[in-house]
Amino acid sequence: MNTIKFLLQKEFRQIFRNSTLLRSILLAPLIQLLVLPWAANYEVKNISFAVVDHDHSPYSQKLISKVSSSGYFKLVGYLNSYNEAYALIEQDKADVILEIPPHFERNLVRENQQKVFIAANAINGTKALMGSSYLNGIIAGFNNDVRAEWLLQSRYNAAPYIEVAPSNWFNPLMSYKVFMVPGILVLLVTMVGSMMCALNIVKEKEIGTIEQINVTPIRKVHFILGKLIPFWILGVIVFTLGMGIAWLVYGIVPQGSIFLLYGFLALYLLAVLGLGLLISTYSSTQQQAMSLSFFFIMIFNLMSGLFTPIESMPGWAQVIARLNPITYFIDVMRLVVLKGSGLHDIRYHMLIIFGFAVLLNTWAVLNYRKTS
Amino acid sequence: MKDTVIKAEKLSKRFGDFIAANELSFEVYPGEIFGFLGANGAGKTTAMRMLCGLSIPSSGQATVAGFDVYRQTDEIKRNIGYMSQKFSLYEDLTVLENIRFYAGIYGLSNKEIREKSDELVTRLGLESESEKLVSALPLGWRQKLSFSVAIIHQPKIVFLDEPTGGVDPVTRRQFWDLIYAASDQGITVFVTTHYMDEAEYCNRISIMVDGRIDALDTPANLKQQFAARSMDEVFYQLARKAKRQAD
């Protein structure tokens, strides 16, 4: 037990003496948490749209002003032919074209129906998708306005009409920040746990001090604990600071039990520290450890369900996402923080993360050799 | 029969087809300063790592401080000190912190740690540097400190792997004074080196060529045996036969 005391004392001294490292462990994640949620936002604004109006009627004017006053679109061209508008797309000045055919008003009034044409620049897929769907929504709204106008005129011809009134549970304002912040926090905790821990161990290999440790009677398990405990504590500190920012800056207060979150965090950190340890056993330089951790963290980040729903991934990708510890913590964060889920709801997550922790650590310990 | 602290019999280490250490047999006696010489890549470090329990031999037998190198590596580690050519001190810790850390992990009591660190700092004349980071110390002092830390727990044997690389002859001489002092306390010293003047300081030396021990005796006897005026000549006569490329 004394050995561990000396190892921990040494480890904390080294961490706290290295101000660059300390900053990158504590400060960098917080800055990321302050900045990233504003950028990681699916809401698309300022979509440039060009209008080709062949009708020049009051109704076409009304439609155009409805689109441009929606707040999502910016009118960049009012043109006479589709080709001119297409040129704007080619120059990347317009994202969406709205083409209003000739006799738009006349057909709408006389024949009760009319078509408009939407063309979207799909180089930026998200913008194209969101742009055309917003535009659709606005046109549908316009459609209702027109209908209401006419129904007022002829009260008798009441067409059946279904109005959809959505209500967003657990995130009533559909704020992306509420959705992203808990997830980003998970990524940051993961980085501290796995990468920093791996780098720290490999640094001892690189400098040669690990040789000295290996000829002392320090046992393998003591050495490993001496490395895991400090980073486990740092992980908990980063998480706590992150939850503080989530509350102070984003007003996110966990709906569920904070103890449950910390309980899960405790297990989760064991798993990611195990990953860090494993990486360190396979690398002999910090550069190798860095590239290896980067590889895993990139894949884990993008396949965690943070940015894109796992359900919409292809089958093989879903398998990878299920083998990714981050996936489970992000899920738990959203369940407990946003929905207020309890232990019973996340029991499988707990079990799986426990499995990860046991597997990764066992593998790492078996692979870590004091002798060759 | 004489007491031995290290006894090796046909100790070998193979890495694939490469035989790094080939059937090494030798004995080291208590309190002796045993020099282990050889060109780069001759297999000195491999042999030393096996004796320290860092590397499991491929074949052969050896005991260190009476413990078997295959099965009792933990016991060996408690009874030896080790100083490698790479630095064994933490450069981002102070002199005192390093001493206390190593004393601590060798299980010295708090009282012993205090006494030992005071004594060590005084003996090395590091009083004004004791709160400084090791990275701020000159190379020669770091080596002396490394050595003192390596024997802080009074081991039976201390292994020194090219301990004086890169320092001037005066500093090297001072380092050897520390080695003699340790030897006087009964600590057996097992040292690898390239420097032939250092070889002369040893009680007995062995010279490794291509993984084998080609010569083993006192410096005086070796010079006589090879009809050489200095250890330099002895070494050249043996090393010239080497076929292996230095690493």
Side-chain angles (χ1 to χ4, degrees):
Chain A
M1 229 41 232
N2 246 341
T3 313
I4 293 206
K5 188 191 91 188
F6 282 104
L7 282 168
L8 290 180
Q9 195 179 38
K10 153 192 166 287
E11 217 54 62
F12 276 113
R13 273 196 181 124
Q14 288 180 302
I15 292 170
F16 283 105
R17 196 158 283 163
N18 189 339
S19 57
T20 319
L21 181 72
L22 202 61
R23 253 177 272 155
S24 66
I25 291 179
L26 295 179
L27 218 55
L30 299 186
I31 292 172
Q32 287 169 330
L33 200 58
L34 285 173
V35 173
L36 289 181
W38 300 87
N41 191 332
Y42 296 122
E43 230 174 39
V44 178
K45 283 189 176 157
N46 297 325
I47 304 165
S48 307
F49 87 112
V51 172
V52 184
D53 188 356
H54 296 294
D55 196 35
H56 300 288
S57 62
Y59 268 124
S60 75
Q61 285 305 322
K62 222 178 194 170
L63 177 59
I64 293 163
S65 74
K66 199 171 165 69
V67 173
S68 39
S69 63
S70 66
Y72 293 107
F73 292 93
K74 202 172 66 191
L75 184 63
V76 291
Y78 187 81
L79 309 150
N80 290 319
S81 76
Y82 180 77
N83 284 345
E84 285 172 66
Y86 187 72
L88 283 184
I89 281 200
E90 281 189 322
Q91 292 160 28
D92 208 22
K93 284 184 183 149
D95 299 313
V96 187
I97 302 173
L98 172 64
E99 190 178 22
I100 300 171
H103 315 303
F104 174 69
E105 187 177 66
R106 197 186 69 196
N107 291 348
L108 199 61
V109 175
R110 280 200 199 147
E111 292 166 26
N112 258 342
Q113 71 168 47
Q114 180 51 286
K115 287 178 175 151
V116 294
F117 176 69
I118 300 172
N121 176 6
I123 286 180
N124 183 336
T126 323
K127 229 173 173 180
L129 185 72
M130 299 308 276
S132 55
S133 83
Y134 287 166
L135 210 50
N136 265 320
I138 293 168
I139 293 168
F142 178 75
N143 199 2
N144 283 340
D145 292 352
V146 172
R147 199 187 291 253
E149 225 171 273
W150 291 350
L151 284 178
L152 263 164
Q153 287 164 359
S154 54
R155 260 168 225 169
Y156 308 101
N157 192 13
Y161 161 63
I162 298 171
E163 191 181 0
V164 182
S167 145
N168 301 307
W169 281 68
F170 312 121
N171 183 2
L173 300 174
M174 282 287 272
S175 159
Y176 275 103
K177 286 177 209 82
V178 167
F179 183 64
M180 295 304 281
V181 167
I184 290 175
L185 185 52
V186 170
L187 296 191
L188 298 177
V189 168
T190 309
M191 299 269 274
V192 170
S194 60
M195 196 136 93
M196 296 294 171
C197 174
L199 283 179
N200 182 291
I201 298 177
V202 175
K203 188 179 162 204
E204 295 228 18
K205 281 194 191 176
E206 224 174 58
I207 302 176
T209 42
I210 203 158
E211 278 275 285
Q212 194 67 35
I213 295 289
N214 284 347
V215 288
T216 66
I218 294 182
R219 305 178 59 150
K220 190 152 102 166
V221 58
H222 288 163
F223 178 73
I224 289 174
L225 280 176
K227 290 292 180 191
L228 294 189
I229 294 171
F231 286 93
W232 188 89
I233 293 174
L234 280 174
V236 172
I237 293 175
V238 167
F239 184 79
T240 307
L241 290 173
M243 288 302 280
I245 288 195
W247 171 54
L248 288 173
V249 178
Y250 301 103
I252 300 170
V253 181
Q255 298 293 313
S257 156
I258 192 97
F259 296 109
L260 185 61
L261 275 183
Y262 274 90
F264 192 85
L265 174 74
L267 263 185
Y268 178 77
L269 279 171
L270 283 186
V272 290
L273 287 169
L275 176 69
L277 197 62
L278 186 61
I279 289 173
S280 78
T281 62
Y282 280 103
S283 347
S284 44
T285 64
Q286 292 188 70
Q287 205 179 13
Q288 288 171 2
M290 194 77 170
S291 353
L292 255 176
S293 348
F294 228 81
F295 171 77
F296 281 111
I297 289 194
M298 273 303 255
I299 292 189
F300 282 0
N301 280 0
L302 292 175
M303 305 199 76
S304 61
L306 175 62
F307 301 105
T308 46
I310 290 166
E311 290 74 16
S312 56
M313 294 177 188
W316 58 266
Q318 290 195 23
V319 173
I320 298 179
R322 299 272 164 232
L323 293 173
N324 174 0
I326 297 185
T327 305
Y328 298 95
F329 197 16
I330 287 184
D331 218 25
V332 164
M333 281 294 270
R334 287 178 176 161
L335 283 171
V336 177
V337 173
L338 303 185
K339 198 175 167 186
S341 298
L343 179 61
H344 187 73
D345 306 298
I346 62 164
R347 62 190 192 281
Y348 290 117
H349 294 76
M350 284 242 171
L351 214 62
I352 290 168
I353 286 298
F354 180 70
F356 269 114
V358 170
L359 179 82
L360 289 168
N361 283 293
T362 314
W363 185 356
V365 169
L366 289 179
N367 203 40
Y368 172 83
R369 301 230 176 284
K370 279 185 81 171
T371 48
S372 57
Chain B
M1 198 182 134
K2 249 175 148 179
D3 270 355
T4 57
V5 281
I6 302 176
K7 189 178 168 71
E9 249 173 84
K10 297 194 170 179
L11 194 64
S12 302
K13 179 78 183 185
R14 281 180 292 275
F15 299 103
D17 288 341
F18 181 75
I19 304 172
N22 194 357
E23 302 202 335
L24 308 181
S25 299
F26 59 90
E27 289 177 345
V28 180
Y29 310 118
E32 191 175 30
I33 300 176
F34 189 83
F36 213 60
L37 275 62
N40 286 333
K44 302 186 300 281
T45 302
T46 306
M48 188 180 257
R49 287 173 57 87
M50 285 191 283
L51 297 175
C52 293
L54 284 175
S55 172
I56 298 292
S58 307
S59 63
Q61 294 301 319
T63 56
V64 174
F67 299 106
D68 184 73
V69 292
Y70 291 95
R71 292 174 290 107
Q72 295 172 302
T73 52
D74 282 345
E75 287 85 349
I76 290 178
K77 285 170 185 175
R78 258 190 285 278
N79 285 288
I80 60 166
Y82 176 80
M83 173 190 170
S84 71
Q85 50 192 339
K86 280 192 175 183
F87 285 109
S88 32
L89 299 171
Y90 288 95
E91 299 204 351
D92 48 358
L93 295 181
T94 67
V95 172
L96 271 181
E97 285 166 356
N98 265 294
I99 298 173
R100 288 188 193 134
F101 171 67
Y102 282 112
I105 57 180
Y106 276 108
L108 272 65
S109 71
N110 286 337
K111 183 166 158 279
E112 284 174 310
I113 293 174
R114 256 193 317 277
E115 286 169 5
K116 280 275 182 186
S117 40
D118 286 347
E119 179 204 318
L120 210 157
V121 165
T122 319
R123 180 148 42 89
L124 293 178
L126 284 171
E127 289 94 339
S128 53
E129 269 78 20
S130 65
E131 301 290 340
K132 280 192 189 160
L133 295 186
V134 165
S135 57
L137 290 186
L139 185 59
W141 280 12
R142 271 191 253 173
Q143 290 176 342
K144 282 182 243 172
L145 182 60
S146 288
F147 176 73
S148 309
V149 168
I151 56 168
I152 198 158
H153 56 297
Q154 289 289 323
K156 291 205 174 79
I157 309 156
V158 61
F159 290 91
L160 309 173
D161 192 4
E162 292 173 21
T164 57
V167 296
D168 60 77
V170 177
T171 314
R172 243 166 47 210
R173 182 67 237 190
Q174 291 169 349
F175 190 90
W176 274 86
D177 289 340
L178 288 178
I179 293 183
Y180 281 125
S183 170
D184 288 345
Q185 289 173 37
I187 297 175
T188 307
V189 180
F190 186 102
V191 54
T192 72
T193 179
H194 289 310
Y195 298 109
M196 290 310 134
D197 58 330
E198 290 189 349
E200 307 263 8
Y201 303 148
C202 299
N203 298 126
R204 284 193 308 145
I205 48 182
S206 70
I207 300 181
M208 272 188 91
V209 179
D210 287 352
R212 296 177 317 273
I213 293 182
D214 274 14
L216 199 173
D217 215 325
T218 61
N221 287 349
L222 282 177
K223 278 185 275 189
Q224 201 178 7
Q225 187 186 333
F226 288 86
R229 268 164 302 156
S230 68
M231 277 310 299
D232 257 349
E233 276 183 39
V234 176
F235 186 76
Y236 284 129
Q237 285 188 35
L238 285 165
R240 215 179 291 134
K241 297 186 298 188
K243 294 181 183 67
R244 200 184 276 175
Q245 287 286 317
D247 54 16

